[in-house]
Amino acid sequence: MRPRFALASLTLLVACSEAPAPDLAAGARLYAQHCGACHGMTLEGQPNWKRRLPSGRMPAPPHDESGHTWHHPDEVLFAITKYGLLPPYAPPGYASDMPAFAGTLTDREIRDVLAFIASHWKSSDVLEARAEMTRNARRR
């Protein structure tokens, strides 16, 4: 693993903004309080997360490298966390158990949680993909 990618994964959420550096300890605490019950305390997600539940909804996916969270750009992860799975991140009328945290967590707290999650992505493939996403986002 090259250090520049590890650093990039931790700073993605504050790049090009005036936000302070993320607080990983706060992110860990907030994740445990608000996310761990569904997404797993070790980011493992719910069992059979790719298969619909009897309710027709999808189980909570893992946030570790086995899931797809790391495939999404930071602005998408932030918006889904803040507003829930609404268009353009899900089809109109999509039913999900994922709550919107806009009234529960501040923007900084959301960034801290997302930075905590990203701090667990350590493989060179994931870090290189994330670094490429960041480069592409900066070009826009």
Side-chain angles (χ1 to χ4, degrees), residues 30-105:
L30 291 163
Y31 180 90
Q33 182 180 355
H34 297 284
C35 312
C38 293
H39 292 282
M41 295 308 286
T42 60
L43 290 76
E44 74 274 14
Q46 292 178 327
N48 301 311
W49 65 274
K50 293 181 182 180
R51 282 192 235 141
R52 292 197 180 277
L53 297 167
S55 66
R57 296 178 180 198
M58 296 299 291
H63 288 317
D64 62 15
E65 290 182 357
S66 72
H68 59 78
T69 305
W70 65 268
H71 295 203
H72 299 291
D74 294 322
E75 62 271 9
V76 171
L77 296 175
F78 182 86
I80 289 171
T81 305
K82 185 168 182 171
Y83 303 112
L85 281 165
L86 302 171
Y89 310 111
Y94 182 79
S96 173
D97 291 327
M98 172 69 183
F101 285 94
T104 305
L105 299 174

Side-chain angles (χ1 to χ4, degrees), residues 102-116:
T104 305
L105 299 174
T106 66
D107 287 1
R108 174 166 181 166
E109 289 172 326
I110 292 170
R111 286 188 194 95
D112 289 345
V113 169
L114 294 174
F116 166 74

